[in-house]
Amino acid sequence: MEDDCLVLYVNGERFEVCDADPSTTLLEFLRSCTPFKSLKLGCGEGGCGACVVLLSKYDSALNKVESFNVSSCLTLLCSINGCSITTSEGLGNSKNGFHPIHQRFAGFHASQCGFCTPGMCMSFFSALVNAEKTNRLEAPSGFSKLTVSEAEKAITGNICRCTGYRPIADACKSFAADVDLEDLGLNSFWRKGESKEAKCSRLPFYNPKDHACSYTEKPGDEYGSIKLFNSKKYSWYSPATVEELQQLFHSDAVSSIKLVVGNTANGYYKETEKYDKYIDLRYIPELSVVKKDESGIEFGAALTISKVVLHLKEQSKANLRSSGELVFNKIADHMEKIASGFVRNSASIGGNLIMAQRNYFPSDITTLLLAVGSSVSILSGNKHEKISLGNFLSRPPLDPKAVLLSVHIPLLKPTTGDGLVQTNATLLFETYRAAPRPLGNALPYLNAAFLADISSVKNGILVNNIYLAFGAYGTKHATRAGKVEEYLRGKILSVRVLDEAIKMVKCTVVPEEGTSYAAYRSSLAASFLFEFLNSFSGLGSSISGGMSEELNDLLLEGAGKFSNDGTMNPSETMPLLSSAKQVVNSSRDYYPVGEPMPKFGAAIQASGEAVFVDDIPSPPSCLYGAFVYSTKPLARVKGISFKSHPQPTAVISVKDIPKEGGNVGTVSIFGTGPLFAEDVAKCAGDLIAFVVADTQKNANLAAKGAQIDYDTDGLDSPILTVEDAVKQSSFFDVPPFLYPQQIGDFSKGMAEADHKILSAELRLGSQYYFYMETQTALAIPDEDNCMVVYSSTQCPEFAHRVIAQCLGVPEHNVRVLTRRVGGGFGGKALRSMPVATACALAAHKLQHPVRIYLDRKTDMIIAGGRHPMKITYSVGFKSDGKITALHLDILINAGMTADISPALPTNMMGVFKKYDWGALSFDIKVCKTNLTSKSAMRAPGEVQASFIAEAIIEHVASFLSMEVDSVRNMNFHSYESLKLFYGSASGESIEFTLPSVWDKVARTSNFQQRISMIEQFNRSNIWLKRGISRIPIVHEVMVITAPGKVSILWDGSIVVEVGGIELGQGLWTKVKQVAAYALSLVQCVGTEDLVEKVRVVQADTLSLVQGGITAGSTTSESSCEAVRLCCNVLVERLAPLKEKLQMQMGPVKWDALILQAHSENVNLAANSFFVPDPSSTKYLNYGAAVSEVEVNILTGGTRILRTDIVYDCGQSLIPAVDLGQIEGAFVQGLGFYMQEEYPTNSDGLVIANGTWTYKVPTLDTIPKQFNVEVLNSGHHEKRVLSSKASGEPPLLLAASVHCATRAAIKEARRQLKSWGALEGTDSTFQLDVPATMPVVKQLCGLDSVETYLQTLLSTS
């Protein structure tokens, strides 16, 4: 049956689609063909959650509608015929009223830039909807049936780069039936100390019946009658039987066929070619069936992973005592760590196995199923066969027309060698995975599944049978460790047997050549096998009263102590985060400034109504662009050609720049940078051309298909390292006014030292911004040779100048508009300019609107990111730890253009001087290399400098065998030394709050008591070690200039314009409050609610000039001061009129005053330009943090148990916003110090170019307990309303986690030494940044298990 159109419902609205490419995704359709823009493209891989929607479909077998969240960037439009889609706008909106989810996200300050928020809301809404369908007890009024743990896990697959997650988790937990409202953090609903009843009454009320969305509840009239979608026109087919499927395979000579279930493979294996036929397998009964019998469970291959998990858990609940059912439960638990919920809801079990078989995908599922002896059914032509999974994996890649029909997981029972069932035996099954994120959404370094059949005999534990499967470690597919199995089979366990098995497994699990962290992966195999076999040591008594004394005595007392509950992993039902304290001390001196009001626009950000650049509807005849970049570091570009389909509409390069213009892509105080490579591409990632096509998808495909002809004859070798740059004397000049001053006499300081460390070395890598919104712009040609450009930028003024220079037009012919930015972190400053300029150039040449939204891979390759560095230091110090002299040689890798790099030396020293180094000298060189230009990234140079300072302190402490906290104290500044190091920036002595902050964080975190508790823990735990660290920060910032404009309209409402850009940091909210405060000084009736009358509008470079750059943490306060100056002028103008009216009619209302002022032609618009006083341009920020971590010696995994921060915000303008900045900055710093690897290949081309390979922190990797105090340090005369910066300084405090990890590793190495190890036990060692699992494990000992077993053998 042919269908001309497919039908779907979006937020209850019916859409008929009669012309769609079968490769069109739901995301593409919704964003281009409907008014609903809440879902965002964050990665295109199913890895970030920004595009999540709720999909509701009718299940004819169950006669009900099932609803679940899916990743719309992967879901094919043709696959959802007859389905209903709910987006965040469909939950609620500004017109019809917001949903309680939106209101609570706003009230808990859980949205900053807002780009990720709608996706978060939909992930959580899906959990709410499905919790209500369970048979649990009814929840208390206003709450849902969700548990706190489920509420947290609902959003673990969603990425947020701004908030640090804690407030998002609180907003979600506020719906949970078992929540303790006392545990929830700062919000705008209740004040501290209010009763539970009062708190419940103030929460936006949630009623499952009113807030479920009708279109997710009941099947509509059309649901039951929707036919399977088959369309020759679309080349989309939905066979209903296996026979129909075979007919489609053989119907004609089709060259390419795509079999579709969830299309999630496209997130990993990006498709650039279109297929001749798309065949949807979900409606063939054999592929969706679940058969349960005594032999096990058979799953149709098209069943989603989520449904497989559900059936396995149901089967386990039905037969709790059976060991075979427990196997099902453990497989299900492990499967829930694969990808994220919104991917598992679409991805099929068969698709996962096919990817592993054909493409060698590092699958977890193949490993699990291999260990339990699963089998698969395959249809190839007319041949139907059932084979073991091992056989299936080892065959040549399956033919494209072969179909995996089903997967059989056996119900296991203990058996003897001849297959008879054993009654006195026990079946044990465990699964393991070591991955950068505990709860999934990350590929593992190695996964494993072990099945053992054991029984108790007179002299110990007998291994009757054992299966050991390992996967994802750098081989083509999961494998069984056959030789190890054979060795263990029939053995009675002992330390010697364990030792031999561990040695054998390390020789068996060997990654292929070129696999990253190969030795680490082999070490993990040994660790997991040890953990599994060791778990038998506690089972002797439970099996039949007794086991080998040798094994029991030697292992149970030691290796068995993984943690307090005897397991390595925390309970699945426990919440991820425990209660946390947020202490804010607000002031009412400048009301409403300081009130914890929700961020301006937070609710519309949650509902998805907030408009980002890519949400602006495309103008008629709009074209779309994509960049072609070099993949070589220094090469002549001879030409570019394109594959046949799709051909670009136009290709814009350096040759298309008008002769009046120039090849300019960036501008800063250090000069300009090129838009395009000219004859020679200077680096991998250098922009060569801008291709233009009719859709963004076609532009991207054309760019990916570009063939570049390179030539390197006669060119020098590229400079890729700082060492190469030094050899070639390739440096950028640092202007003298930006080069910091040395302090004291280094030679004299070294002469005074008792000890010296000479020429120690540190290296630091790069970090990617991972703003959720990639670089984007829209350029529209206007009359009279003018150009209007919408850009997601932190510096519209500079973008404006660059565009004008490139096009060769006067600046008044260009207008740049920026409303909001979906995350910036410095990456939307200079790096956004070439994107806007390329769009403007293409629009200028083609006389069509042109827009671009960079795909994540291109963005990551051309972004540049944070500056890598090499540091060499020599330090002299006394025996008590006091440092007398320090010299640093710092080589900064700046990439191919200056960008902001010459500013880094002064940035670095502004933070590095946080300790009294005695004499400080340095030589800092900014190296010019053939890498992408490194640029400003949140706390540029400062985050590195803070780490360098701590690394030196740690080194000195290790050298002297002193407690590192004592060495920190010994080198703490006095006010006198602070003045010596920082000069006038140190302010008055009363402003030096660091000593009190330092003492306070120790007190509130119970620092000293916890040191003793950690020592005790480490003594009684072999395989888990804890560490704790306290660090300070001193962060010098510079107050920047800022313009402002305030206009009062006829009805008394107020419009404010500022140069500062809203990036999520709450700038608009602070400006609103300051405007309300400053205008209230006119002292009218009604000014107490003035904040509701203020609207801040988008930046417009022709309306407000000299907007500058939003960076450096002080733009908010400068913008506030500019607005205050405007308001002061307006109050001055209004005051005489108010006095006159007051004398005539008594108290004057605000609205009446303004109406009269308009009537009397009072000028009600004021402009200002704030320039800070030279004496107070720079000031210091202070903070301190204590962090405690737990390191797993077997895997190298690090859990952050607790972080306590005390941060001096002066008199915070909005404590809630500043708290969000502190937490968000800290978590971003956590990424740099602990998780985020941004490597390049040998040509300097970035290879971590998506969510599969680049891992930012997620909810499951932040501190379990996260306590923050925003200190109100009172009146600061020279600060804006006594406030201080909060955007960047707290990021540096994340180094406390790195230092705590170092302390835990030190304990592990001390233990290793006690076992007699000769290597890797020195207490002085370098912990790399980031301190990833392989790095930590290597320092704890890749052979720690073998060393331990050898110790046991030698003592026995």
Side-chain angles (χ1 to χ4, degrees), residues 1044-1058:
K1045 181 179 177 183
V1046 179
S1047 308
I1048 307 174
L1049 307 179
W1050 282 80
D1051 63 352
S1053 59
I1054 300 141
V1055 179
V1056 176
E1057 288 181 70
V1058 287

Side-chain angles (χ1 to χ4, degrees), residues 465-634:
N465 216 343
I466 191 161
Y467 301 93
L468 308 171
F470 297 92
Y473 61 89
T475 53
K476 287 180 177 166
H477 48 71
T479 55
R480 290 254 304 275
K483 287 183 180 175
V484 189
E485 293 173 357
E486 197 178 320
Y487 169 75
L488 286 169
R489 214 167 278 135
K491 291 278 192 309
I492 292 173
L493 276 187
S494 67
V495 174
R496 199 167 298 283
V497 167
L498 228 70
D499 184 52
E500 187 59 32
I502 296 297
K503 285 175 183 166
M504 288 179 75
V505 86
K506 279 188 101 167
C507 295
T508 305
V509 178
V510 180
E512 291 178 359
E513 198 175 329
T515 303
S516 61
Y517 307 118
Y520 168 65
R521 293 172 197 255
S522 295
S523 176
L524 281 174
S527 293
F528 288 154
L529 182 61
F530 170 70
E531 189 180 337
F532 180 63
L533 295 178
N534 177 62
S535 67
F536 301 177
S537 63
L539 292 168
S541 54
S542 64
I543 296 171
S544 59
M547 62 173 296
S548 141
E549 273 190 28
E550 179 199 9
L551 192 67
N552 201 36
D553 291 349
L554 295 180
L555 290 179
L556 190 60
E557 290 307 305
K561 292 190 177 178
F562 289 113
S563 72
N564 293 337
D565 62 356
T567 63
M568 289 298 287
N569 298 313
S571 166
E572 294 290 325
T573 56
M574 291 292 288
L576 294 171
L577 310 179
S578 57
S579 64
K581 291 177 189 157
Q582 293 86 44
V583 180
V584 297
N585 302 294
S586 55
S587 159
R588 292 179 70 84
D589 291 356
Y590 310 110
Y591 181 88
V593 174
E595 289 297 293
M597 69 180 282
K599 178 181 173 290
F600 176 57
I604 60 169
Q605 286 175 187
S607 69
E609 296 168 279
V611 178
F612 293 86
V613 171
D614 198 52
D615 299 332
I616 299 168
S618 292
S621 70
C622 188
L623 297 171
Y624 299 78
F627 285 110
V628 176
Y629 51 81
S630 173
T631 55
K632 302 287 182 189
L634 190 63

